[in-house]
Amino acid sequence: MEAAMDLMRRISPKESETALSALLSLLPHHSADLLSQVDLPLQVCMDQQLMKEFILCEYNRDADSYRSPWSNKYFPPLEDGPLPSPQLRKLEIEANEVFTVYRDQYYEGGVSSVYIWEDHNESFIACFLIKKDGSRTGHGRRGYLQEGSWDAVHVIEVGPEEEGTAHYRLTSTVMLSLTTENKSSGTFNLSGSIRRQMSHDLSVAEGHLCNMGKMIEEMEGKLRNSLDQVYFGKTREMVCTLRPPPDGIQLRLPEN
Amino acid sequence: MADGGGGDEPEELSDKQKAEIAKWFLANAPAGEIQYVAKDVRSILGDDKIYEMAAAEAFPLHNKAHLLALEMPNRSGDVLIATYGELDKNNYFDPRTAQVATVDHVKQVCTTVRPANDDELPSPYIEDFRSTLDAELSKYVGETYPKGVCAVYCISGKDAEGPGADFDLASGVISASFVGSANASSLRFVGKDPDSGPHEFKGINQNNGIWQSIWNIEFKDNMQFVEIKGKIQVGAHYFEEGNVQLDAKLECKDSTIFQSPEDSAVSITNIVRHHETEYLASLEASYVNLPDTTFKDLRRKLPVTRTLFPWQNTMQFSLTRDITKEMGIGK
């Protein structure tokens, strides 16, 4: 498995789907581990009843059907697919609505979905997903990108409430790819994925949704900055290491 | 790709299918990382015979695609593994020293060299052009790239005796940097022992990169001009606690008049220098634009309101909920 994870770190993020399916066929007995540890771009499906798109993931899947967070039904239809309890469904509905507004404010487009289900011992797990296509043919407002995608998966484990506080553990993954293309500067593609974790004990006075939302917002901000300054910055540094710019060209250093 | 099987028991892959997968991983390894990828693939396959079969086919492809530079044993310099200089699967011609190097692709070493035969060398007329260009280009590469290697080959018309014939030269330039591997020198692919590579990835700076440019130069005698086509490729891979890769390429064209070997060499090198410098500037411009424009198309730093999202304000939610319904956002 260590070798498999190393391979996933080395192969280009653009090829991660092919790489994962290759690994799954070579290591069928590790498929559960591979599927849970490797990040793949998100897929979207249409809720045929409400005509709204929703995101597919392991957490809303049963057999080959996926549950829509809008209508709470499985597509393709499934007779007795598992559903969240009424209380959790209520939280799920509100989470989806609020997250839609959040998504629109930060992403100006894209699709989002939230899935919540029971864990053991009065805990629950919530999964917040966002898929944004920023290419100029998608939702890219400014038209800079030939191709661009941002996929975010946030999984929060929420522990039982004890004395007014609860424990929240967030694992976030962002996968992104952007390509600009024009005649004079050729093709420029940056792609990557990063995964981080964050844990907090928070008062439940303002509700779970508020706590989870703030953690996700903070985490996304950090990941975006990391991607921009550290990761892209490092590849930029590398280009300058390979071919140091002549003194005439000004190098604007990334702000820290 | 091999199918996963529909039943409860996953179908066992055939040896051929496993080898194809192994070859895919090896061929798609980032420049300079193939030995690490090889180690992983070997361990996952658990079958040395299949691994060796795949490696024998994949390594040469990878080495040629990345213009691998190997040190020649007699210390006369490096030979580039390139299609242009390939005499047969394991033998590569080095035009600068007029030698033929025998290599082991999988170990990525040069095992022996021998002087080239007369029929393997270009004619004196061609060699004049080739070697002056090589000298001029080498000077440029030495000044510009901290760890650059280059070579100039005659790829067509090498036996032309004198003026009146068309011929083509090709030059390859490679500059690579690997930080954080056990042998952190860019040129020394020789002796890279996969077993001495790092096992832990936490805390080790993992940053690799490669600049590669290939120039095709067509000397058209009857029209007395030289057509130049370039392909520049830059790659970088940073993977400490994540995995980010840069993949950038550019194709460009230019031309100059057909002159004496010395003047042509200077002219051509100036053109190469000009295009490569411009390309570096445009890469830099892409990076500068990134945070404020291109990245913003994916996710803004903050909402238009310039404040964080008001999670605790449920009144606002009902309001925004109604607004979103009104405006039809949140489709």
Side-chain angles (χ1 to χ4, degrees), chain B residues 125-126 129 154-157 160 162-169 216-229 253-260 264 268:
Chain B
Y125 171 68
I126 299 292
F129 281 92
C154 176
I155 55 177
S156 152
D166 292 345
F167 59 95
D168 300 337
L169 298 183
N216 265 283
I217 307 149
E218 292 171 27
F219 287 77
K220 298 191 193 295
D221 185 282
N222 59 347
M223 298 197 264
Q224 284 295 298
F225 89 108
V226 182
E227 206 174 280
I228 305 170
K229 294 194 193 124
K253 264 194 351 203
D254 211 323
S255 59
T256 181
I257 48 170
F258 198 134
Q259 299 159 293
S260 69
S264 291
I268 293 170

Side-chain angles (χ1 to χ4, degrees), chain A residues 45-231:
Chain A
C45 176
M46 181 66 83
D47 177 329
Q48 300 290 340
Q49 180 177 316
L50 294 176
M51 295 317 284
K52 266 172 103 162
E53 285 184 303
F54 65 99
I55 300 180
L56 310 183
C57 68
E58 282 303 293
Y59 305 116
N60 65 329
R61 184 180 74 83
D62 190 46
D64 291 322
S65 293
Y66 292 85
R67 179 174 69 87
S68 156
W70 314 114
S71 60
N72 203 21
K73 296 214 162 71
Y74 278 85
F75 297 91
L78 206 57
E79 273 223 357
D80 44 8
L83 299 175
S85 69
Q87 307 103 292
L88 282 187
R89 174 61 189 154
K90 187 156 167 281
L91 182 60
E92 194 184 75
I93 292 174
E94 190 180 356
N96 272 287
E97 285 191 14
V98 174
F99 206 53
T100 296
V101 185
Y102 167 85
R103 186 216 359 101
D104 197 66
Q105 299 239 311
Y106 274 101
Y107 293 86
E108 301 173 317
V111 182
S112 60
S113 298
V114 184
Y115 304 105
I116 305 186
W117 67 100
E118 293 86 358
D119 200 15
H120 49 266
N121 272 354
E122 295 180 31
S123 344
F124 66 89
I125 304 183
C127 179
F128 291 72
L129 305 126
I130 291 185
K131 183 171 183 70
K132 167 77 189 278
D133 173 1
S135 63
R136 55 172 74 105
T137 46
H139 285 159
R141 287 264 171 103
R142 297 158 194 87
Y144 288 113
L145 295 174
Q146 191 64 30
E147 177 261 326
S149 69
W150 169 295
D151 288 358
V153 181
H154 303 281
V155 181
I156 307 192
E157 295 163 62
V158 183
E161 211 177 293
E162 272 167 44
E163 291 172 19
T165 60
H167 183 78
Y168 300 83
R169 192 165 83 141
L170 168 65
T171 304
S172 297
T173 307
V174 170
M175 291 157 276
L176 80 82
S177 172
L178 55 87
T179 307
T180 59
E181 208 175 278
N182 66 55
K183 206 141 197 311
S184 56
S185 46
T187 315
F188 178 93
N189 168 267
L190 270 176
S191 51
S193 71
I194 51 177
R195 192 184 253 223
R196 289 272 165 79
Q197 279 194 324
M198 181 197 276
S199 287
H200 285 310
D201 288 297
L202 300 168
S203 143
V204 296
E206 289 180 349
H208 285 306
L209 190 51
C210 185
N211 291 339
M212 294 192 291
K214 283 185 176 164
M215 279 177 79
I216 289 177
E217 185 175 27
E218 189 186 335
M219 176 65 96
E220 285 199 336
K222 283 192 173 149
L223 291 178
R224 189 196 191 274
N225 283 341
S226 254
L227 278 166
D228 185 10
Q229 288 165 9
V230 178
Y231 292 86

Side-chain angles (χ1 to χ4, degrees), chain A residues 6 97 132 235-236 243, chain B residues 40 140 284 287 297 321:
Chain A
D6 184 59
E97 285 191 14
K132 167 77 189 278
T235 56
R236 175 193 197 177
R243 191 180 198 283
Chain B
D40 293 333
Y140 159 68
E284 184 55 22
Y287 272 111
D297 261 359
R321 227 176 279 163

Side-chain angles (χ1 to χ4, degrees), chain B residues 128 289 321 331:
Chain B
D128 203 5
N289 279 329
R321 227 176 279 163
K331 286 192 300 177

Side-chain angles (χ1 to χ4, degrees), chain B residues 52-303:
Chain B
E52 271 152 34
M53 215 167 59
E57 281 185 49
F59 267 85
L61 294 173
H62 180 99
N63 293 341
K64 280 189 282 188
H66 295 284
L67 292 187
L68 183 63
L70 294 179
E71 197 180 342
M72 292 188 280
N74 57 3
R75 284 194 254 186
S76 51
D78 290 351
V79 59
L80 279 189
I81 305 303
T83 326
Y84 301 128
E86 187 176 43
L87 295 176
D88 64 48
K89 194 166 170 231
N90 297 319
N91 287 296
Y92 292 84
F93 174 55
D94 174 45
R96 188 175 302 138
T97 58
Q99 295 179 110
V100 174
T102 307
V103 307
D104 178 327
H105 279 287
V106 178
K107 293 210 182 98
Q108 295 186 313
V109 283
C110 170
T111 49
T112 56
V113 280
R114 64 159 171 84
N117 301 329
D118 280 342
D119 61 348
E120 288 165 340
L121 296 171
S123 68
Y125 171 68
I126 299 292
E127 180 59 17
D128 203 5
F129 281 92
R130 194 212 65 76
S131 57
T132 31
L133 179 57
D134 188 35
E136 198 61 33
L137 219 49
S138 297
K139 209 168 67 167
Y140 159 68
V141 169
E143 289 166 351
T144 319
Y145 299 91
K147 295 179 183 179
V149 182
C150 74
V152 178
Y153 302 86
C154 176
I155 55 177
S156 152
K158 79 171 180 46
D159 297 320
E161 295 292 323
D166 292 345
F167 59 95
D168 300 337
L169 298 183
S171 84
V173 178
I174 181 88
S175 169
S177 168
F178 309 115
V179 176
S181 26
N183 301 321
S185 160
S186 63
L187 298 184
R188 287 180 161 271
F189 297 75
V190 176
K192 198 167 192 172
D193 178 2
D195 288 333
S196 65
H199 286 266
E200 302 287 355
F201 287 92
K202 302 245 156 94
I204 295 186
N205 207 2
Q206 303 286 330
N207 201 0
N208 297 326
I210 190 163
W211 172 297
Q212 181 179 316
S213 52
I214 298 183
W215 294 88
N216 265 283
I217 307 149
E218 292 171 27
F219 287 77
K220 298 191 193 295
D221 185 282
N222 59 347
M223 298 197 264
Q224 284 295 298
F225 89 108
V226 182
E227 206 174 280
I228 305 170
K229 294 194 193 124
K231 236 197 297 187
I232 308 175
Q233 215 168 321
V234 183
H237 182 203
Y238 181 67
F239 52 109
E240 188 171 345
E241 291 188 342
N243 176 7
V244 170
Q245 299 204 3
L246 164 71
D247 179 16
K249 32 174 121 42
L250 174 73
E251 284 187 29
C252 49
K253 264 194 351 203
D254 211 323
S255 59
T256 181
I257 48 170
F258 198 134
Q259 299 159 293
S260 69
E262 294 76 17
D263 291 338
S264 291
V266 170
S267 210
I268 293 170
T269 307
N270 281 338
I271 289 177
V272 167
R273 177 185 295 114
H274 166 75
H275 283 279
E276 294 191 348
T277 309
E278 259 196 24
Y279 186 52
L280 179 70
S282 88
L283 282 178
E284 184 55 22
S286 292
Y287 272 111
V288 163
N289 279 329
L290 202 55
D292 297 323
T293 53
T294 39
F295 212 162
K296 222 175 181 177
D297 261 359
L298 289 179
R299 182 188 191 274
R300 300 177 60 98
K301 248 186 179 156
L302 276 179

